[in-house]
Amino acid sequence: MLENMSTNQRVLLATVISLVVFIVYDYFFMPQNLKQNLDNNKTSTKIEAPAKSQTAAPVQADSNKMEAPSQGHTAKNEQLLKITSPKFDLFIDSLGRVSQVILEEKKYKNESGAQIRLFDENKLPKPLEIRFSDASLNEKSFKTPYSYEGPKEISLKEPTTIVLKQDLGTVGVIKKITIYPDGHYSANISLTKNEDYYISPGYRPNVRVDGYTLHGALIKEADNTITIIEDGDAKGTEVFKKAKIAAAFDRYYTTFFYDLKKGLNVVVTKDSEENPILFVQGSSNFQVNGYFGPKEYETLKAINPELTDVIEYGFFTFIAKPMFKALLALYHFVGNWGWAIVVLTIIIRIILFPLTLKGMLSMQKLKDLAPKIKEIQQKYKGDPQKMNAHMMQLYKKHGANPMGGCLPMLLQIPVFFAIYRVLLNAIELKGAPWILWITDLSEKDPYFVLPILMGITMFIHQKLTPTTITDPMQKKLFTYLPIVFTFFFLTFPAGLTLYWFTNNILSIIQQLIVNKIFEAKKLSKVSKEG
């Protein structure tokens, strides 16, 4: 089919595919349950915990199920203590769980100007929540408050350990939690009697959930495989033995357990909306490490470099991760995230220039051959085989490649996708200013200056780029593309729009250079022939 298509149609196809995949899939694709996820329900989410099993491995999803008791059958949920620090405020409730985390740094503010709260208070489970396999014991655990002997408010300046105790009659629970100022913690759970139970890192943060970024659960397995279960895709109980990391996350924030040496037996269940819920199988003397907070690369790396695997960019992560590291290095060099994006864009264009130049020169040749191509098409329009044969002869004679302008563009798509994902998911851009009116690169341009400039530069580049398109419908499609892109970019993060705008500027410069090179070659050829 491709070989029977004209060059115009091939280029058009490449553009349309890029547009559809890049915009429609990423921007419009939204899981059917997303609207429900964004809706703050007034009732607690009921989650089926793993069933009791005879071994440490598979869990019977359809037997011995247990849920968190409804609000009317639980102990009065009171605040047990508050831990304050420059980075966050942490609240622990009377059921020995992390009930809320408030990020206290200036840049972590929501649309109304209030400091960001990581967790939806109506969503269960909460971090460090225990579910027993024994239904009666589980019910009792939600009715019996923990005791705590110590100050009701702690100022966290160094690692601090707190001890929580719960007396369930037949078994006693002791939670010994050490909290660190950077947001990570270690928890030791000890039981006075052997009972099967599961403990959760909590329901994913519910701060930034949208239709074009990942949110759900991530498991780093024993063999270092990364498995992601997105919201709406959880199909039932799944078990991951000896997993290194079990994370619940939204666009920018995460809560997770990790054990990078021995591993964790992770169980993924689902709620009524088929969102994944994480539990880890405990023991009578169980040790686990955890973290809650933003997915900041340097923070996670400082705790342990392996924890940066929690930062995922989707299909093109293998390209996006090194690209983010390059962006981070440039930020440390220039001191501003906006200028780091500009410099990175320039570097990418320099690296891709040989490929781009080849495509541009090919398009110039095809533009010059356009009249002859049209003549062949009209002459042999009733005989496709003869038409293709004469077209190939024409291309060969003049050294033109009909796919020369199309392939370089297609080969660059993974790079564009990768930088797109980096700029959408990098929490580091939150609250990061660029110039004058751009005070937050993770948010849209408040005055839409960048999207409009992006559209104008795209239009200019389009006018400078040679084309052999003669079909009126195809011409119209290409004419409207800058308008379509401008419309979509109105709500995109300013950092992403800045990348695209800079890329357009560089494309214009490159096209002007190539046009001059080609004109010089033509004049040289004419003078030689003369």
Side-chain angles (χ1 to χ4, degrees):
M1 180 181 170
L2 254 179
E3 62 188 17
N4 292 324
M5 295 175 69
S6 69
T7 303
N8 301 339
Q9 290 171 322
R10 289 185 181 113
V11 175
L12 178 63
L13 178 64
T15 305
V16 171
I17 289 173
S18 303
L19 183 65
V20 170
V21 176
F22 179 73
I23 299 295
V24 177
Y25 179 80
D26 265 26
Y27 190 77
F28 282 112
F29 176 74
M30 183 177 290
Q32 291 180 357
N33 67 314
L34 182 59
K35 188 177 179 182
Q36 295 172 320
N37 291 345
L38 293 171
D39 182 29
N40 292 325
N41 295 320
K42 299 302 178 185
T43 58
S44 297
T45 304
K46 292 185 177 181
I47 303 159
E48 295 171 348
K52 185 175 181 179
S53 62
Q54 300 302 316
T55 66
V59 191
Q60 300 300 321
D62 58 353
S63 64
N64 227 2
K65 291 180 179 178
M66 37 170 214
E67 300 176 342
S70 62
Q71 205 165 15
H73 294 85
T74 63
K76 190 177 179 182
N77 191 2
E78 297 177 342
Q79 181 181 307
L80 204 57
L81 74 146
K82 177 183 178 182
I83 297 173
T84 62
S85 76
K87 293 189 76 171
F88 60 86
D89 290 344
L90 168 69
F91 299 86
I92 293 179
D93 66 16
S94 55
L95 290 177
R97 311 170 300 185
V98 176
S99 58
Q100 189 55 270
V101 173
I102 301 175
L103 302 180
E104 290 296 343
E105 292 178 271
K106 282 185 179 180
K107 67 177 181 177
Y108 295 119
K109 291 186 178 182
N110 59 24
E111 291 78 6
S112 61
Q115 294 301 136
I116 283 172
R117 294 170 175 259
L118 280 188
F119 303 111
D120 184 334
E121 293 180 359
N122 295 313
K123 295 288 188 180
L124 296 178
K126 298 184 183 298
L128 295 175
E129 181 172 310
I130 288 177
R131 302 279 181 91
F132 287 94
S133 293
D134 184 287
S136 60
L137 185 61
N138 188 62
E139 187 174 355
K140 190 172 184 179
S141 74
F142 277 88
K143 292 179 180 178
T144 308
Y146 278 75
S147 62
Y148 162 70
E149 295 178 2
K152 297 297 182 184
E153 188 165 328
I154 299 171
S155 180
L156 190 67
K157 293 178 180 156
E158 57 185 7
T160 300
T161 301
I162 59 170
V163 179
L164 311 175
K165 296 180 180 179
Q166 185 182 44
D167 184 2
L168 299 176
T170 58
V171 61
V173 181
I174 300 173
K175 289 183 181 178
K176 189 176 181 181
I177 309 165
T178 302
I179 303 160
Y180 296 80
D182 58 9
H184 89 282
Y185 61 89
S186 63
N188 181 267
I189 315 298
S190 57
L191 273 58
T192 57
K193 177 188 171 185
N194 257 345
E195 289 286 350
D196 288 338
Y197 73 92
Y198 297 83
I199 185 167
S200 176
Y203 192 90
R204 65 154 171 75
N206 197 27
V207 184
R208 292 300 296 264
V209 178
D210 47 53
Y212 47 91
T213 53
L214 291 171
H215 41 89
L218 176 149
I219 297 94
K220 183 172 184 179
E221 300 183 50
D223 62 356
N224 294 321
T225 301
I226 301 291
T227 297
I228 293 176
I229 305 170
E230 293 190 58
D231 282 351
D233 288 345
K235 301 305 178 188
T237 303
E238 294 183 69
V239 179
F240 298 85
K241 288 186 180 181
K242 305 296 181 184
K244 293 183 175 182
I245 303 172
F249 66 94
D250 70 0
R251 177 175 174 182
Y252 288 145
Y253 310 95
T254 185
T255 176
F256 61 81
F257 282 161
Y258 65 98
D259 187 333
L260 304 176
K261 293 180 180 179
K262 296 179 181 177
L264 304 164
N265 289 330
V266 179
V267 180
V268 183
T269 65
K270 65 176 181 177
D271 64 10
S272 59
E273 298 163 357
E274 296 191 341
N275 299 328
I277 308 297
L278 294 171
F279 287 93
V280 168
Q281 190 172 38
S283 60
S284 58
N285 191 12
F286 179 67
Q287 178 77 34
V288 69
N289 299 304
Y291 172 84
F292 46 74
K295 294 187 285 185
E296 290 178 342
Y297 180 86
E298 290 189 321
T299 299
L300 295 173
K301 184 182 177 183
I303 300 168
N304 190 297
E306 202 167 344
L307 298 183
T308 59
D309 287 335
V310 170
I311 305 170
E312 265 286 320
Y313 302 104
F315 184 77
F316 290 106
T317 294
F318 67 100
I319 303 175
K321 277 196 173 182
M323 200 166 285
F324 173 77
K325 289 179 183 179
L327 183 65
L328 183 63
L330 288 169
Y331 165 72
H332 286 305
F333 181 72
V334 301
N336 180 278
W337 283 105
W339 290 117
I341 291 169
V342 172
V343 175
L344 179 65
T345 310
I346 293 170
I347 291 171
I348 290 171
R349 290 307 298 247
I350 290 171
I351 292 170
L352 295 176
F353 182 71
L355 194 64
T356 308
L357 179 63
K358 189 176 180 181
M360 286 178 167
L361 289 172
S362 181
M363 289 298 291
Q364 286 281 6
K365 286 181 181 179
L366 291 172
K367 181 187 177 183
D368 283 357
L369 292 176
K372 293 182 180 180
I373 291 171
K374 190 176 180 181
E375 186 182 321
I376 291 171
Q377 286 173 340
Q378 288 177 344
K379 187 175 181 181
Y380 299 102
K381 61 182 177 182
D383 192 341
Q385 286 187 340
K386 276 190 177 181
M387 182 178 72
N388 285 332
H390 281 81
M391 294 268 276
M392 289 301 108
Q393 285 178 4
L394 181 68
Y395 294 145
K396 189 175 180 181
K397 181 181 177 182
H398 294 274
N401 183 354
M403 293 296 289
C406 183
L407 282 176
M409 182 173 64
L410 288 174
L411 291 172
Q412 291 177 58
I413 288 175
V415 177
F416 295 148
F417 257 110
I419 192 69
Y420 165 70
R421 284 295 187 181
V422 166
L423 298 177
L424 272 181
N425 289 279
I427 182 67
E428 286 79 2
L429 297 185
K430 185 164 181 59
W434 181 42
I435 54 171
L436 299 176
W437 73 98
I438 304 292
T439 58
D440 188 342
L441 287 164
S442 72
E443 298 292 337
K444 67 181 181 181
D445 182 335
Y447 303 110
F448 307 114
V449 176
L450 273 178
I452 292 168
L453 288 175
M454 187 276 302
I456 291 169
T457 52
M458 189 175 180
F459 176 78
I460 293 169
H461 179 242
Q462 188 183 78
K463 290 297 178 185
L464 290 171
T465 304
T467 178
T468 60
I469 293 175
T470 55
D471 181 74
M473 285 299 293
Q474 292 180 15
K475 273 188 175 181
K476 273 189 179 181
L477 177 60
F478 275 98
T479 302
Y480 285 120
L481 276 179
I483 298 170
V484 173
F485 269 79
T486 301
F487 174 76
F488 284 126
F489 272 79
L490 289 176
T491 57
F492 274 19
L496 179 61
T497 312
L498 173 61
Y499 162 74
W500 208 269
F501 167 65
T502 306
N503 196 61
N504 286 348
I505 292 288
L506 295 171
S507 294
I508 290 169
I509 294 169
Q510 285 184 349
Q511 191 64 59
L512 288 171
I513 292 169
V514 169
N515 289 353
K516 284 188 177 181
I517 291 171
F518 203 79
E519 284 300 317
K521 283 186 176 181
K522 281 175 68 177
L523 289 172
S524 175
K525 187 178 178 181
V526 169
S527 64
K528 283 179 181 179
E529 289 175 354

